[in-house]
Amino acid sequence: MMRDILRRLQGAALAGILILPWVMVATPAKLVASDAVLTLDEAFAMALERNPDINVARGEARIAHNNVHIGNAGLLPRVDLVGSVTYQDNEAAAVEESTTTGIQLQASYTFFDGFGTVYTFQKLRSSGRLGELKARNTIENTMVSVSESYYRLAEAEQQLSLSREALSISRERQRRAQLRSDYGQANTLDVLSATVDANSDSVAVLEARLERDNARRSLNSLLNRPVDTPCSVDATVRFDDGLTLAAVQEGAKQSYADYLLAAEEMRQADLDLAIATSDFFPSFGVQLNYGFSETDPGFMVDLDDPAEGFSAVLNMTLPLFNGFKTSIARQNAKILQHNSRLEYDKAGMDLEKLVADTWEAYQNSLTVLAFQEKNLESAELNFSRTRELSVLGQVTSTAFREAQLNLLSARQQIASARFDARLFEIRLKRIAGMLLRKAE
């Protein structure tokens, strides 16, 4: 009688021990951290302010913008202050040795050169737009990298939390197996099996912690702050239900930086051809000189009693032969123009393919996510039933471990599927030109 009572008490104790870890498994994992939670918008703002690549790209864009000036294209006159000292030794002259000292203000302006300066200014404006587009492309690429690092850290944090739960269950299972073995209700194989599983889960925790730390360092590096700065991220994912394929296709043609760069480079090739063609035309210019000069015998630099002078020169230059350099430059410009049009057409086709591939991958990831959510329901139900049978002693340790691993795998896969879908959505918004507007 006493033995039956002890056995019932032991069974109740074991049942109580079994319930605790199962409740822990049935409850969704939540990250508990003392660090402040960093949102994705905050990470974007921090990267826009601190990231070195972004700041360098902005600096290069400012340089390109500064170059857009009519003076840089040769459309403004040139003014120089010229001083000269000329020594002359002429035996036939009355004064054999003389020195002429002069100083003059010289202004020159080319008012026609086959419109080369006009085309040069247009090319400078195009280069300014290219600088802005390149900066935007760098910023968008960095924003995508920040997103990938952010959600990689979010996934790593969840995987670490799940691995810790699995280890807690395995250690509790190991303790129960040892307790049952001590009371003669389990054999040594059950204890060894539980120990092996606990060790395996311990290794999984170490690997998950390493992955979390690596992901954190990658994110901190993109945010240009010490790589060991503690931080946690918000694992909540909300999808944009208003995102449509038509909106992405329309925005891509108007906003995708790579495509716009190809279009601008094609315009530059047209301007290069126009500039090369302008070298065949004559150029007309004017030069005005106003100054003072004085000639003294011997070698003497002096302007005590200078003579005032003014001169105006109208000049024309017609290129006749320069070793075929102009012709070769024009031929090469025509080849580059043709190549730029091919690159532009290719960029258009690549963009269409990119939109189609990314949209299909996004839709597929949402389908996978829905499937994984259903799979998680099945895994939770399977584990719940396995728990009930284990309490009754009708499930082996192998079956229990399999149900535990299935549930763990389902939770890990649903987290990965959710973050993958979110990243595809971010890439679509980048293609459509929506990502940078939101980040800024």
Side-chain angles (χ1 to χ4, degrees), residues 256-290:
Y256 188 55
D258 282 341
Y259 178 72
L260 297 180
L261 281 170
E264 201 63 49
E265 288 171 352
M266 183 178 66
R267 295 189 190 98
Q268 282 215 336
D270 293 339
L271 292 171
D272 284 334
L273 177 59
I275 293 172
T277 303
S278 69
D279 290 338
F280 287 95
F281 290 86
S283 64
F284 296 88
V286 62
Q287 181 174 317
L288 304 177
N289 299 290
Y290 173 77

Side-chain angles (χ1 to χ4, degrees), residues 226-438:
V227 293
D228 293 326
T229 301
C231 70
S232 298
V233 296
D234 185 6
T236 304
V237 173
R238 298 181 181 87
F239 296 104
D240 187 355
D241 296 332
L243 189 64
T244 63
L245 177 59
V248 174
Q249 290 173 334
E250 181 180 358
K253 292 287 186 180
Q254 299 175 359
S255 303
Y256 188 55
D258 282 341
Y259 178 72
L260 297 180
L261 281 170
E264 201 63 49
E265 288 171 352
M266 183 178 66
R267 295 189 190 98
Q268 282 215 336
D270 293 339
L271 292 171
D272 284 334
L273 177 59
I275 293 172
T277 303
S278 69
D279 290 338
F280 287 95
F281 290 86
S283 64
F284 296 88
V286 62
Q287 181 174 317
L288 304 177
N289 299 290
Y290 173 77
F292 303 89
S293 64
E294 181 178 345
T295 301
D296 296 302
F299 182 76
M300 179 181 296
V301 179
D302 189 13
L303 281 174
D304 290 340
D305 188 21
E308 182 179 357
F310 174 79
S311 65
V313 179
L314 181 65
N315 56 63
M316 181 201 73
T317 303
L318 178 63
L320 297 179
F321 181 75
N322 62 353
F324 302 106
K325 291 181 180 180
T326 305
S327 298
I328 293 173
R330 188 172 184 274
Q331 292 173 10
N332 291 339
K334 292 183 68 174
I335 295 173
L336 291 175
Q337 182 191 50
H338 178 69
N339 289 346
S340 68
R341 294 187 184 280
L342 294 177
E343 291 291 340
Y344 175 72
D345 293 339
K346 181 178 181 297
M349 292 186 292
D350 289 344
L351 180 57
E352 292 179 4
K353 180 179 182 299
L354 179 63
V355 171
D357 290 347
T358 309
W359 179 261
E360 185 175 356
Y362 176 57
Q363 295 299 316
N364 184 72
S365 64
L366 292 178
T367 303
V368 170
L369 177 59
F371 176 79
Q372 294 293 351
E373 289 173 347
K374 294 181 180 180
N375 186 47
L376 178 60
E377 295 176 2
S378 300
E380 289 177 341
L381 180 60
N382 177 58
F383 187 82
S384 177
R385 291 181 178 178
T386 304
R387 175 195 62 184
E388 296 173 358
L389 295 175
S390 179
V391 171
L392 300 175
Q394 298 178 1
V395 172
T396 64
S397 60
T398 301
F400 176 82
R401 177 64 174 178
E402 183 179 358
Q404 177 193 0
L405 292 179
N406 287 338
L407 181 58
L408 177 63
S409 176
R411 287 183 172 171
Q412 291 174 337
Q413 290 175 1
I414 199 173
S416 298
R418 183 180 296 112
F419 295 137
D420 287 345
R422 175 61 173 151
L423 287 174
F424 279 123
E425 182 182 271
I426 288 175
R427 293 190 185 103
L428 283 172
K429 289 188 173 183
R430 183 267 169 107
I431 295 171
M434 304 175 185
L435 180 62
L436 191 56
R437 291 200 297 268
K438 179 180 178 181

